[in-house]
Amino acid sequence: MPKDRRPFFDAKRGAQLLATVLAAGAAWGLLFATLGESESVSVSSFGDEERTTTMYRLPDLVGPGPALAIAAIPLLLTLIPLLARAYRQALSLVCTVVLGALTVLTGFTVGTFAVPALAAAVIACIVPGRASRISSTESAPPVGTGITGAG
């Protein structure tokens, strides 16, 4: 591997992977978790009560297609920077800003599911991709100059 090429997996990719895993968990939660329930009581002419409890998931409320789209958006916004080779920092920043805007706009409904993924995406924007490499001639003062590392 040439010296100027970065390894594919570094600290930034680790944070992006965490964001993607959290977004996948949010997508699963949006699609399969019970988001609400209703209870109805009917009384027959004989005085018998019959209680019916209905639990709602997101696909039950908006349909399977829109529910899949709603769940897939945070997942795609975290997956794009994870898989990108070029323009990693720019893609990470743009996708994080879009994810943040969508999370704020939908904050009291489905946006709360994306908050952990957003936090990890923000960390991915802050974490450097790799440590800067210092050549061996720059890491220590030249021998015989009287310069020591101690202050």
Side-chain angles (χ1 to χ4, degrees):
M1 182 163 83
K3 284 186 176 183
D4 60 337
R5 301 256 347 232
R6 293 188 211 183
F8 183 77
F9 197 81
D10 53 12
K12 180 176 281 301
R13 294 262 190 219
Q16 290 168 341
L17 178 64
L18 177 64
T20 302
V21 167
L22 291 171
W28 182 88
L30 282 170
L31 292 175
F32 299 110
T34 301
L35 299 180
E37 61 181 55
S38 67
E39 184 174 71
S40 61
V41 178
S42 61
V43 180
S44 69
S45 59
F46 299 112
D48 297 331
E49 286 187 4
E50 183 180 332
R51 294 181 183 270
T52 306
T53 302
T54 306
M55 295 186 193
Y56 296 104
R57 298 175 305 129
L58 186 63
D60 300 331
L61 298 174
V62 298
L68 187 61
I70 290 169
I73 289 171
L75 184 59
L76 290 174
L77 287 173
T78 56
L79 197 60
I80 289 170
L82 176 66
L83 299 177
R85 277 279 196 196
Y87 306 111
R88 267 175 53 176
Q89 184 65 29
L91 279 173
S92 183
L93 187 61
V94 168
C95 288
T96 301
V97 167
V98 171
L99 181 61
L102 291 175
T103 301
V104 168
L105 288 174
T106 61
F108 293 110
T109 56
V110 296
T112 56
F113 285 84
V115 170
L118 176 62
V122 168
I123 290 170
C125 287
I126 296 170
V127 170
R130 64 178 175 159
S132 60
R133 296 185 183 182
I134 299 173
S135 69
S136 61
T137 59
E138 295 175 16
S139 63
V143 177
T145 60
I147 300 173
T148 62

